[in-house]
Amino acid sequence: MSPAPSYRRGEEGTVAEKRAGDGRAAGAEGTAEIGRRVLRLRTERGFTQRQLAEPAYTAAYVSTLEAGKVRPSEVALRHLAERLGVTYEELVTGRSPQDATRLRAGLTDARRTLATGDTEDAAARFAALGAEADLLGFTDERAAALLGLGDCAMETGELTAARDHFEAAEKLLADEPLPRRVPAIRGRAVAHLLAGELRYSCYLLESAIDELNASGLHDPNALLLLYTAAIAPYMDMGAHARAVRAAELSLALAPSVDNPELVAQMHRGVARTLIAEGRTAEADASLAKAQELYEQLRLRTDLAHCHWMRGYVHAQDGDLERAESELRIARDMLASKRAALFMVQVEVELADVLRRRGRTAAAEALLRPLLARSGGSRDSGDSGSSGSSGDSGSSRDGQEAVELTAERGAVHAGGAHRLLGLIADERGDAEEAEEHYCAALSLLERTGAAGDLADLCRLLGDLLRREGRLEAAMDAYRTGLGHRAAPGTTTLGPAPAEPPLQGAR
């Protein structure tokens, strides 16, 4: 009887060694799939089985491998990959390094499209790239595509879809270190913030900050993402001390971050705390720095947010003409980007400026379509009169109107009702004013926006007092005082742990 065939020349080619090498077999594709891949690559290159096998292996071994009857060791696969002119990973998985590079380049292009072009086009690109990454088994690229889809959905106001995409990305990266998962966590938090769920937004951000700092993972990029995102919900909840502290920590982290987009986000967030302290000149300077960075990066949506915030700064400072100009620029930029939810939020603030400038008809023309089906909005005889100045929102470029609701932009929906209540109050329509104030209170009570709630209670109390309903007015005032009792302390737990930074007092 002839001896058992030796698959590898010399002492290393014994059957016993081959079996021992089975435990080192690479790849999850399976023996048959690897065999078919070796056969295809060998045929494409015009090799015989002997030419591929030599000098380390025999033609019989290659034949058995191609038939799927032997599970190759890592050593054998590395030899075959070198002979075939491919990488070990490509031979084992079927994935080429060029595939990963191509996907990453496509994702970068999709990001640029999202920042400077059409959101729908960007979403289509992210979806196609994500599907391909999923097919090829590239987890990082699949997660990046999901993050992109989440950002697209957030810009168009599809907050449930955005949360789903961010959650899927976080699950894909579940085994990765926390800093890798922070962009997905931040995305979820911002989506909840836009939906008016301020407490849960803070919870997500503070939990991640705590985990990073408590475990010693003081990643500057990740921390800057979280702290800058936390400023907005802190401000809306009236937790000004925490907002200021988050801004201070952001400024201390900025020198350690080499990502200009993150630094620009930081400047934009810090401006909010400066506004709260009445330091409008410094706030405007901070926003100008962010704007310059975003212009360099051509991130149109974030640049629009800078114009938005600068408009708010000027409004707080009493410069209503400049405020209107900045807010109109922001609205037009967001309209061209089809960032519908952000655009209508800007329109609420623009309507406030128009009302303060005495153009109440134009303000109503902006506000009423935003609340068309949300209740508490009655038709007004002058609601459609906007003159020839374009105040009615004609810059929407044919976009489908987005309506602010409890689930989509609750804080700004409450703001729209508050403004309509003020307008009705000023023209002596107490019934409509009360209707709008109550609608605003209902929207804002679930958000935890303490400052806005206190202001609404004061307005409602003043209205009821003028109507002679003193007991109801006292109830409204007491409710407002409750919201202002201890800003930030009634809805938030202990502040999260802080990173060991110098200069962040």
Side-chain angles (χ1 to χ4, degrees), residues 194-215:
L194 290 173
E197 298 163 3
L198 307 186
R199 294 184 188 86
Y200 191 62
S201 177
C202 286
Y203 165 76
L204 289 173
L205 295 167
E206 290 192 340
S207 296
I209 290 170
D210 249 338
E211 188 176 345
L212 280 172
N213 289 327
S215 60

mmCIF file of all heavy atoms in Angstrom, residues 194-215:
data_model
loop_
_atom_site.group_PDB
_atom_site.id
_atom_site.type_symbol
_atom_site.label_atom_id
_atom_site.label_comp_id
_atom_site.label_asym_id
_atom_site.label_seq_id
_atom_site.Cartn_x
_atom_site.Cartn_y
_atom_site.Cartn_z
ATOM 1 N N LEU A 194 -34.159 67.520 20.190
ATOM 2 C CA LEU A 194 -35.028 68.141 19.193
ATOM 3 C C LEU A 194 -36.473 67.707 19.366
ATOM 4 O O LEU A 194 -37.401 68.446 19.019
ATOM 5 C CB LEU A 194 -34.539 67.788 17.787
ATOM 6 C CG LEU A 194 -33.217 68.432 17.359
ATOM 7 C CD1 LEU A 194 -32.763 67.881 16.019
ATOM 8 C CD2 LEU A 194 -33.357 69.944 17.278
ATOM 9 N N ALA A 195 -36.676 66.519 19.908
ATOM 10 C CA ALA A 195 -38.039 66.037 20.158
ATOM 11 C C ALA A 195 -38.610 66.618 21.450
ATOM 12 O O ALA A 195 -39.752 66.324 21.804
ATOM 13 C CB ALA A 195 -38.050 64.520 20.218
ATOM 14 N N GLY A 196 -37.800 67.408 22.148
ATOM 15 C CA GLY A 196 -38.284 68.017 23.387
ATOM 16 C C GLY A 196 -38.034 67.182 24.621
ATOM 17 O O GLY A 196 -38.514 67.534 25.706
ATOM 18 N N GLU A 197 -37.281 66.098 24.508
ATOM 19 C CA GLU A 197 -37.018 65.221 25.648
ATOM 20 C C GLU A 197 -35.690 65.634 26.277
ATOM 21 O O GLU A 197 -34.665 64.956 26.151
ATOM 22 C CB GLU A 197 -37.003 63.770 25.188
ATOM 23 C CG GLU A 197 -38.353 63.331 24.604
ATOM 24 C CD GLU A 197 -38.270 62.060 23.776
ATOM 25 O OE1 GLU A 197 -37.167 61.476 23.692
ATOM 26 O OE2 GLU A 197 -39.290 61.662 23.193
ATOM 27 N N LEU A 198 -35.703 66.766 26.960
ATOM 28 C CA LEU A 198 -34.469 67.375 27.455
ATOM 29 C C LEU A 198 -33.802 66.533 28.529
ATOM 30 O O LEU A 198 -32.575 66.380 28.547
ATOM 31 C CB LEU A 198 -34.761 68.774 28.005
ATOM 32 C CG LEU A 198 -35.509 69.743 27.074
ATOM 33 C CD1 LEU A 198 -35.590 71.121 27.713
ATOM 34 C CD2 LEU A 198 -34.828 69.837 25.732
ATOM 35 N N ARG A 199 -34.599 66.003 29.455
ATOM 36 C CA ARG A 199 -34.013 65.223 30.555
ATOM 37 C C ARG A 199 -33.283 63.991 30.023
ATOM 38 O O ARG A 199 -32.186 63.669 30.474
ATOM 39 C CB ARG A 199 -35.111 64.792 31.542
ATOM 40 C CG ARG A 199 -35.771 65.916 32.301
ATOM 41 C CD ARG A 199 -36.763 65.366 33.314
ATOM 42 N NE ARG A 199 -37.563 66.413 33.928
ATOM 43 C CZ ARG A 199 -38.674 66.898 33.425
ATOM 44 N NH1 ARG A 199 -39.142 66.422 32.283
ATOM 45 N NH2 ARG A 199 -39.336 67.856 34.045
ATOM 46 N N TYR A 200 -33.927 63.286 29.078
ATOM 47 C CA TYR A 200 -33.298 62.065 28.570
ATOM 48 C C TYR A 200 -32.057 62.399 27.753
ATOM 49 O O TYR A 200 -31.067 61.671 27.792
ATOM 50 C CB TYR A 200 -34.285 61.269 27.721
ATOM 51 C CG TYR A 200 -33.772 59.884 27.391
ATOM 52 C CD1 TYR A 200 -33.508 58.968 28.414
ATOM 53 C CD2 TYR A 200 -33.529 59.500 26.086
ATOM 54 C CE1 TYR A 200 -33.019 57.706 28.138
ATOM 55 C CE2 TYR A 200 -33.046 58.235 25.795
ATOM 56 C CZ TYR A 200 -32.792 57.343 26.821
ATOM 57 O OH TYR A 200 -32.300 56.093 26.543
ATOM 58 N N SER A 201 -32.104 63.529 27.041
ATOM 59 C CA SER A 201 -30.921 63.972 26.312
ATOM 60 C C SER A 201 -29.755 64.193 27.279
ATOM 61 O O SER A 201 -28.633 63.730 27.046
ATOM 62 C CB SER A 201 -31.231 65.257 25.553
ATOM 63 O OG SER A 201 -30.087 65.748 24.892
ATOM 64 N N CYS A 202 -30.034 64.897 28.384
ATOM 65 C CA CYS A 202 -28.994 65.113 29.403
ATOM 66 C C CYS A 202 -28.507 63.800 29.997
ATOM 67 O O CYS A 202 -27.306 63.613 30.233
ATOM 68 C CB CYS A 202 -29.530 66.015 30.513
ATOM 69 S SG CYS A 202 -29.682 67.743 30.048
ATOM 70 N N TYR A 203 -29.442 62.884 30.244
ATOM 71 C CA TYR A 203 -29.076 61.596 30.826
ATOM 72 C C TYR A 203 -28.079 60.858 29.930
ATOM 73 O O TYR A 203 -27.057 60.325 30.404
ATOM 74 C CB TYR A 203 -30.325 60.742 31.036
ATOM 75 C CG TYR A 203 -30.037 59.279 31.290
ATOM 76 C CD1 TYR A 203 -29.563 58.851 32.530
ATOM 77 C CD2 TYR A 203 -30.205 58.334 30.283
ATOM 78 C CE1 TYR A 203 -29.276 57.515 32.749
ATOM 79 C CE2 TYR A 203 -29.919 56.997 30.499
ATOM 80 C CZ TYR A 203 -29.451 56.588 31.727
ATOM 81 O OH TYR A 203 -29.158 55.269 31.938
ATOM 82 N N LEU A 204 -28.361 60.803 28.622
ATOM 83 C CA LEU A 204 -27.464 60.111 27.696
ATOM 84 C C LEU A 204 -26.081 60.750 27.690
ATOM 85 O O LEU A 204 -25.059 60.052 27.763
ATOM 86 C CB LEU A 204 -28.052 60.131 26.286
ATOM 87 C CG LEU A 204 -29.274 59.256 26.027
ATOM 88 C CD1 LEU A 204 -29.825 59.518 24.624
ATOM 89 C CD2 LEU A 204 -28.926 57.774 26.176
ATOM 90 N N LEU A 205 -26.048 62.060 27.613
ATOM 91 C CA LEU A 205 -24.770 62.770 27.535
ATOM 92 C C LEU A 205 -23.991 62.659 28.839
ATOM 93 O O LEU A 205 -22.785 62.366 28.837
ATOM 94 C CB LEU A 205 -25.006 64.240 27.189
ATOM 95 C CG LEU A 205 -25.611 64.496 25.794
ATOM 96 C CD1 LEU A 205 -26.087 65.942 25.684
ATOM 97 C CD2 LEU A 205 -24.607 64.179 24.698
ATOM 98 N N GLU A 206 -24.671 62.867 29.963
ATOM 99 C CA GLU A 206 -23.976 62.825 31.252
ATOM 100 C C GLU A 206 -23.514 61.416 31.590
ATOM 101 O O GLU A 206 -22.445 61.238 32.193
ATOM 102 C CB GLU A 206 -24.879 63.379 32.347
ATOM 103 C CG GLU A 206 -25.097 64.877 32.234
ATOM 104 C CD GLU A 206 -25.758 65.467 33.470
ATOM 105 O OE1 GLU A 206 -26.377 64.693 34.236
ATOM 106 O OE2 GLU A 206 -25.657 66.691 33.672
ATOM 107 N N SER A 207 -24.285 60.397 31.225
ATOM 108 C CA SER A 207 -23.873 59.014 31.485
ATOM 109 C C SER A 207 -22.590 58.690 30.731
ATOM 110 O O SER A 207 -21.673 58.060 31.273
ATOM 111 C CB SER A 207 -24.981 58.039 31.067
ATOM 112 O OG SER A 207 -26.138 58.220 31.845
ATOM 113 N N ALA A 208 -22.513 59.126 29.472
ATOM 114 C CA ALA A 208 -21.306 58.871 28.677
ATOM 115 C C ALA A 208 -20.116 59.653 29.228
ATOM 116 O O ALA A 208 -18.998 59.126 29.310
ATOM 117 C CB ALA A 208 -21.556 59.241 27.218
ATOM 118 N N ILE A 209 -20.346 60.911 29.633
ATOM 119 C CA ILE A 209 -19.270 61.712 30.222
ATOM 120 C C ILE A 209 -18.760 61.046 31.500
ATOM 121 O O ILE A 209 -17.549 60.928 31.726
ATOM 122 C CB ILE A 209 -19.771 63.143 30.520
ATOM 123 C CG1 ILE A 209 -20.012 63.905 29.219
ATOM 124 C CG2 ILE A 209 -18.770 63.894 31.403
ATOM 125 C CD1 ILE A 209 -20.719 65.230 29.406
ATOM 126 N N ASP A 210 -19.690 60.611 32.343
ATOM 127 C CA ASP A 210 -19.309 59.945 33.589
ATOM 128 C C ASP A 210 -18.473 58.710 33.328
ATOM 129 O O ASP A 210 -17.448 58.479 33.982
ATOM 130 C CB ASP A 210 -20.570 59.547 34.365
ATOM 131 C CG ASP A 210 -20.739 60.359 35.643
ATOM 132 O OD1 ASP A 210 -19.732 60.899 36.124
ATOM 133 O OD2 ASP A 210 -21.866 60.435 36.145
ATOM 134 N N GLU A 211 -18.924 57.899 32.374
ATOM 135 C CA GLU A 211 -18.208 56.648 32.095
ATOM 136 C C GLU A 211 -16.815 56.923 31.555
ATOM 137 O O GLU A 211 -15.846 56.247 31.917
ATOM 138 C CB GLU A 211 -19.009 55.799 31.104
ATOM 139 C CG GLU A 211 -18.423 54.400 30.907
ATOM 140 C CD GLU A 211 -19.276 53.517 30.004
ATOM 141 O OE1 GLU A 211 -20.454 53.880 29.758
ATOM 142 O OE2 GLU A 211 -18.760 52.487 29.548
ATOM 143 N N LEU A 212 -16.702 57.916 30.664
ATOM 144 C CA LEU A 212 -15.391 58.260 30.111
ATOM 145 C C LEU A 212 -14.435 58.721 31.210
ATOM 146 O O LEU A 212 -13.293 58.249 31.302
ATOM 147 C CB LEU A 212 -15.525 59.366 29.067
ATOM 148 C CG LEU A 212 -15.977 58.970 27.664
ATOM 149 C CD1 LEU A 212 -16.250 60.222 26.835
ATOM 150 C CD2 LEU A 212 -14.928 58.112 26.979
ATOM 151 N N ASN A 213 -14.905 59.647 32.037
ATOM 152 C CA ASN A 213 -14.017 60.217 33.052
ATOM 153 C C ASN A 213 -13.740 59.260 34.201
ATOM 154 O O ASN A 213 -12.620 59.181 34.699
ATOM 155 C CB ASN A 213 -14.616 61.524 33.578
ATOM 156 C CG ASN A 213 -14.556 62.639 32.545
ATOM 157 O OD1 ASN A 213 -13.625 62.690 31.753
ATOM 158 N ND2 ASN A 213 -15.535 63.520 32.571
ATOM 159 N N ALA A 214 -14.774 58.527 34.630
ATOM 160 C CA ALA A 214 -14.592 57.600 35.752
ATOM 161 C C ALA A 214 -13.666 56.441 35.389
ATOM 162 O O ALA A 214 -12.964 55.905 36.246
ATOM 163 C CB ALA A 214 -15.947 57.063 36.206
ATOM 164 N N SER A 215 -13.658 56.064 34.108
ATOM 165 C CA SER A 215 -12.822 54.928 33.686
ATOM 166 C C SER A 215 -11.459 55.371 33.175
ATOM 167 O O SER A 215 -10.652 54.537 32.759
ATOM 168 C CB SER A 215 -13.540 54.131 32.593
ATOM 169 O OG SER A 215 -13.803 54.953 31.473
#
